[in-house]
Amino acid sequence: MKTFFDARQHDHAPAMELHNGAYVPYAEHRGRMENVLATLSQVEAPRDHGIEPIRRVHKDNYLAFLQSAHERWVAAGRNGDAHGYAWPVVGRRPLNLNRIDADLGQFSFDASSPISAGTWTSAYWGAQSALAATEAVLGGERAAFALCRPPGHHCGADYLGGYCFLNNVAISTEAAIAAGKRRIAILDVDYHHGNGTQDIFYDRGDVLFVSVHADPATDYPFFWGHADERGEGAGEGTTLNLPLPRGSGLEAYRAALDTGLAAIRDFGADMLCVSFGADTFAGDPISQFALQTADYTPIARSIADLDLPTVIVMEGGYAVDALGANVAAFLAGFD
Ligand code: SP5
Ligand code: ZN
C-alpha cells in the first residue's frame, strides 16, 4: 500500500507530560514512527499541498497561535515545552489577550499536549502526509496510508489536545470533498474517542462519523464519545458512538465494528477515511483493550469489504516495540 511520511514529522519532541499528577516521559514520541518505518517498505515523502487544505478545517487564529506558540513561550522567558495551566471552562470568549498563558488555555482542552520547538513543522508535514494519501486515493489507488505523527483526532477547529494539533483525518475528508466527493464516512478505530473529529463534523449531513472506543465514562477524553451524542442540525444522526468497556477483546470489538460498518453501508458513502490507532492492542501502556496483533488483519479486512476508496491515517498506539507489527497486520487486511 502507498504509504506517506515526512522526516520532519520527527521534529515534534515534547519531553514530559502530566500523568496521574506527575510528569512522565511523553508517550507520543518519535520512536513510534521509527518502529513503524523499520517494518514498512516503500515509504514516500509527501509533496507540499500548502496551507489552504489545512485552513478548510482549522481557524486562522488557531493556526497563527500554533505556529508562534513556542517562540512566544521562549520570548516570555520560559524553558522547555509550552503548555497551559488556566482554562476558560465556560465558553471560550475571543478575548485576544495576547498573553501566551491565556492563549495556551484558549486554544487547548487538556494539559497532556505540550508544544515543542518543532511542533508546528511536524504537524504541518503530518497533515501533508494525509493530503498525499488522499491525493493517491482520489487518483485511483484503492487505499493509501498516511503515517501521521503527531496524531490528529482529538483536536478541533481551534483547539489542541490528546497529543493532537492538526486534525489529519478531517483535513483528508475536506480535501476529498473539495475534489468532488459528496458523502464521506469517517471510521475511528483508535482506543480513544475522536472528539475533535466529531466536533468538526457534528452538524454536517454529508460526513458520517463512526467511532468504536473505550467508554468515556472510564477513559479519556471523558466528556465526549457517549452513545447519546448523535449529531445536530443537518448532522442529526450522522454521528455514531460505539463505546466498549475496558478489557474488550476481539469478540466484543467485532460486534461493535459490525454495527458501525452497517451504518456506513446505509449512509451510502463514496469514500472512507479511517482513523487507525493501535492503542487497542493488549500490550498498550495507556489503554485497556485486549486485541492481539493477529486480530488487526480480520478487522481491517471487514473494513476493506465495504469496497470504498479508503484513506487510512495513523492516530495512537504506544506499545512501541509492537507498533510496526500491529500497523503491518492492519494494512495486510487491505491486500
Ligand atoms: C491520539 C491518542 O491516542 N491520544 C491519546 C491521548 C491520551 N492522553 C491521556 C492519557 C494520559 C496517559 N499518559 C501516560 C503516559 C505514560 N508514559
Ligand atoms: Zn488513542
Side-chain angles (χ1 to χ4, degrees):
M1 185 181 303
K2 270 193 183 288
T3 296
F4 295 92
F5 178 81
D6 190 287
R8 284 165 281 195
Q9 292 174 236
H10 289 315
D11 293 1
H12 173 59
M16 309 291 274
E17 65 177 293
L18 193 58
H19 175 64
N20 294 350
Y23 278 92
V24 301
Y26 194 59
E28 199 289 284
H29 59 80
R30 64 177 284 162
R32 298 176 59 238
M33 297 299 103
E34 287 164 349
N35 190 275
V36 178
L37 290 166
T39 309
L40 301 182
S41 55
Q42 292 186 321
V43 176
E44 296 174 47
R47 77 173 178 90
D48 189 355
H49 289 73
I51 195 77
E52 288 308 313
I54 297 172
R55 292 183 65 226
R56 290 200 177 95
V57 169
H58 292 286
K59 294 186 182 170
D60 286 341
N61 63 348
Y62 173 68
L63 294 173
F65 159 77
L66 200 56
Q67 287 176 63
S68 63
H70 194 266
E71 281 172 29
R72 292 172 62 201
W73 179 258
V74 171
R78 313 287 175 68
N79 297 313
D81 305 317
H83 72 80
Y85 73 97
W87 284 269
V89 173
V90 182
R92 291 183 296 135
R93 299 170 63 199
L95 289 170
N96 237 330
L97 295 170
N98 200 27
R99 300 286 306 176
I100 183 61
D101 297 294
D103 286 355
L104 284 162
Q106 177 167 333
F107 293 115
S108 66
F109 75 91
D110 73 11
S112 74
S113 313
I115 299 170
S116 74
T119 297
W120 168 256
T121 298
S122 291
Y124 179 87
W125 286 102
Q128 297 304 330
S129 289
L131 288 162
T134 308
E135 184 175 49
V137 169
L138 292 170
E141 292 287 327
R142 184 254 179 284
F145 178 50
L147 183 51
C148 292
R149 173 180 188 267
H153 73 152
H154 292 302
C155 67
D158 66 349
Y159 55 86
L160 61 86
Y163 313 150
C164 301
F165 302 88
L166 295 176
N167 194 309
N168 303 305
V169 79
I171 290 166
S172 285
T173 298
E174 290 288 20
I177 290 170
K181 295 290 182 186
R182 298 167 63 90
R183 286 169 83 74
I184 311 258
I186 299 173
L187 176 64
D188 189 319
V189 290
D190 186 275
Y191 177 80
H192 305 94
H193 178 248
N195 60 288
T197 312
Q198 170 174 300
D199 189 15
I200 288 164
F201 297 112
Y202 206 58
D203 62 357
R204 288 275 292 271
D206 57 337
V207 178
L208 174 68
F209 175 72
V210 175
S211 181
V212 180
H213 52 269
D215 191 341
T218 56
D219 278 78
Y220 183 93
F222 306 112
F223 307 108
W224 307 276
H226 302 270
D228 62 351
E229 296 159 22
R230 300 192 30 82
E232 67 184 14
E236 183 82 50
T238 63
T239 290
L240 178 60
N241 285 317
L242 300 162
L244 290 171
R246 287 186 170 194
S248 292
L250 184 61
E251 197 180 341
Y253 199 89
R254 291 220 57 138
L257 182 65
D258 286 348
T259 301
L261 295 174
I264 291 170
R265 284 197 178 87
D266 288 349
F267 182 70
D270 52 12
M271 179 158 167
L272 177 67
C273 294
V274 178
S275 271
F276 170 57
D279 42 8
T280 49
F281 179 57
D284 195 90
I286 72 169
S287 308
Q288 318 288 333
F289 281 174
L291 297 182
Q292 304 296 326
T293 299
D295 294 340
Y296 289 108
T297 303
I299 286 171
R301 196 168 289 134
S302 60
I303 297 169
D305 282 345
L306 289 169
D307 206 20
L308 290 169
T310 302
V311 175
I312 303 162
V313 306
M314 191 77 221
E315 299 287 357
Y318 309 99
V320 172
D321 293 345
L323 189 57
N326 289 338
V327 168
F330 188 83
L331 298 182
F334 282 82
D335 283 349

